[in-house]
Amino acid sequence: EDQVTQSPEALRLQEGESSSLNCSYTVSGLRGLFWYRQDPGKGPEFLFTLYSAGEEKEKERLKATLTKKESFLHITAPKPEDSATYLCAVQAISGGSYIPTFGRGTSLIVHP
Amino acid sequence: DVKVTQSSRYLVKRTGEKVFLECVQDMDHENMFWYRQDPGLGLRLIYFSYDVKMKEKGDIPEGYSVSREKKERFSLILESASTNQTSMYLCASSPAFQGGSYEQYFGPGTRLTVT
């Protein structure tokens, strides 16, 4: 069974204090790993797709990396507006189903 | 920009009522999804549709049904609402998965309260 585990569940940072969120996965045949941002009371917003180990993608203060077992979302010098829940999802080729499996998310709060 | 809209942001219904949640996407996507999201449980897939009139059960289909008569529209139906169906409901769409790996685009969500 495909599994996605995100850690930590919650993270509090001071503005400017860089850190990383982790998404570890066990799937058979990764097709893609996705990162989303979700603000309170809203739907998730797509951030990145990573396809193979060694791949990296960046957007403003966010950088996503991928290995064969996990992905990291690095946040450099975060600002209060980066506060949100970050969700990871993996899409695998297993049993013919391509439906993504989501982790439970990391709730990030950045204090000014 | 991909746009996914949901018929209501907030909805309050009584136990036993039949509830319709509608979702429309404007990007000609083949796949559409209904999830519910509850604190501590994350996103759970209720139903998935990969084409008009086609549907597949997700992880928690009990108490729900769906309808997809047109490509752009996917409806979630609560046949007889119960208090344990109080939740945030999220619709999403994506291109067909075969041949590639594609991100999902989510609507703003419907906060349903059943009293």
Side-chain angles (χ1 to χ4, degrees):
Chain A
E1 181 181 325
D2 301 339
Q3 289 196 333
V4 181
T5 304
Q6 291 189 246
S7 62
E9 287 186 19
L11 183 62
R12 293 178 181 268
L13 299 173
Q14 288 297 126
E15 185 171 1
E17 180 187 1
S18 301
S19 187
S20 297
L21 313 183
N22 178 265
C23 172
S24 62
Y25 62 91
T26 51
V27 297
S28 52
L30 180 71
R31 288 185 74 108
L33 184 142
F34 310 95
W35 282 99
Y36 295 85
R37 170 193 170 123
Q38 186 175 22
D39 293 304
K42 297 186 177 181
E45 176 187 351
F46 169 71
L47 291 173
F48 305 108
T49 306
L50 301 167
Y51 295 101
S52 57
E55 189 175 359
E56 300 182 350
K57 289 199 176 168
E58 287 188 64
K59 180 180 180 179
E60 296 180 354
R61 294 175 294 281
L62 300 177
K63 179 179 176 180
T65 62
L66 182 65
T67 72
K68 288 186 178 179
K69 293 185 178 181
E70 57 192 350
S71 176
F72 292 94
L73 186 64
H74 306 277
I75 304 176
T76 302
K79 298 183 178 182
E81 54 261 42
D82 295 321
S83 297
T85 294
Y86 291 86
L87 299 171
C88 167
V90 297
Q91 187 183 21
I93 312 168
S94 60
S97 172
Y98 300 116
I99 298 173
T101 300
F102 278 84
R104 295 190 178 185
T106 293
S107 174
L108 173 66
I109 297 176
V110 182
H111 297 285
Chain B
D1 272 357
V2 175
K3 194 163 185 182
V4 179
T5 58
Q6 295 184 228
S7 50
S8 304
R9 291 286 282 123
Y10 301 95
L11 209 51
V12 180
K13 295 292 182 180
R14 293 195 180 275
T15 301
E17 279 193 85
K18 192 168 186 176
V19 181
F20 293 87
L21 303 182
E22 295 209 320
C23 175
V24 177
Q25 51 97 1
D26 67 357
M27 281 302 290
D28 201 36
H29 284 168
E30 287 76 11
N31 295 334
M32 295 189 76
F33 308 80
W34 275 108
Y35 293 91
R36 64 177 283 177
Q37 187 175 37
D38 301 286
L41 297 178
L43 280 168
R44 292 183 291 170
L45 182 66
I46 305 171
Y47 268 98
F48 161 58
S49 171
Y50 55 92
D51 201 351
V52 175
K53 297 191 186 293
M54 306 304 289
K55 61 185 179 186
E56 285 190 12
K57 293 180 180 179
D59 300 318
I60 51 164
E62 296 78 20
Y64 303 94
S65 63
V66 290
S67 172
R68 193 167 180 200
E69 296 297 319
K70 293 185 177 181
K71 190 175 185 179
E72 68 271 17
R73 190 178 298 268
F74 192 34
S75 300
L76 179 70
I77 303 147
L78 285 65
E79 297 292 342
S80 177
S82 64
T83 55
N84 63 12
Q85 292 179 309
T86 292
S87 186
M88 169 70 101
Y89 289 88
L90 290 162
C91 175
S93 74
S94 80
F97 291 136
Q98 284 78 2
S101 178
Y102 300 102
E103 63 274 12
Q104 293 168 290
Y105 293 89
F106 285 84
T110 295
R111 174 73 64 184
L112 173 66
T113 301
V114 182
T115 62

